[in-house]
Amino acid sequence: CTLNWGTNYTATYDFTLPRAIDADVTANVDLKIDGLLPLKFSCVACGTDCTFTIPVLGKKVTIPPQPCPLLPAGENKGSKVVPLPAKSPVPTATSVKGQASLTDATGAVLGVVSIDAHIA
């Protein structure tokens, strides 16, 4: 699909979680930028800032924390408006491919999402 800058999109979801996504869950991101540059970082899923640096650009990014629990155990159903900024935060066209996962304190994988995006 194609998403346009400066547009609000609504994400609809319907899934069941065996446990809450709280402060003992880690979000792990493992991407390749333009098939070449690794972007790999891990952050607590909620409750604290997530800060990482984009390689080569040296740009430090901080994602503000969401309150815990991020998601409760059981059924999760609803929608959320996701606004895209007016213009791309990336200074040039690029592609990103890889995956993001959630792991618990034991390292067990709770879920994985594949990512394949082209940013213009």
Side-chain angles (χ1 to χ4, degrees), residues 9-10 12-13 23 27 56-57 75 87 91 106 110 113 116-117 119-120:
Y9 292 93
T10 301
T12 302
Y13 54 90
V56 178
L57 297 177
E75 184 177 24
K87 64 179 188 166
T106 70
L110 303 175
V113 174
D116 188 354
I119 303 166

Side-chain angles (χ1 to χ4, degrees), residues 11-106:
T12 302
Y13 54 90
D14 183 0
F15 58 90
T16 302
L17 292 173
R19 57 155 294 167
I21 305 300
D22 53 25
D24 72 340
V25 173
T26 301
N28 309 287
V29 176
D30 187 1
L31 303 172
K32 290 271 189 191
I33 300 170
D34 291 332
L36 195 55
L37 301 169
L39 175 59
K40 191 171 184 174
F41 62 92
S42 296
C43 295
V44 174
C46 58
T48 64
D49 282 348
C50 176
T51 301
F52 59 93
T53 302
I54 298 174
V56 178
L57 297 177
K59 181 175 171 100
K60 189 175 181 178
V61 176
T62 298
I63 300 170
Q66 297 295 310
C68 290
L70 184 60
L71 294 166
E75 184 177 24
N76 287 270
K77 183 186 274 190
S79 62
K80 181 173 176 83
V81 174
V82 181
L84 291 185
K87 64 179 188 166
S88 173
V90 181
T92 185
T94 191
S95 65
V96 179
K97 190 172 186 174
Q99 68 178 23
S101 65
L102 294 174
T103 53
D104 68 14
T106 70

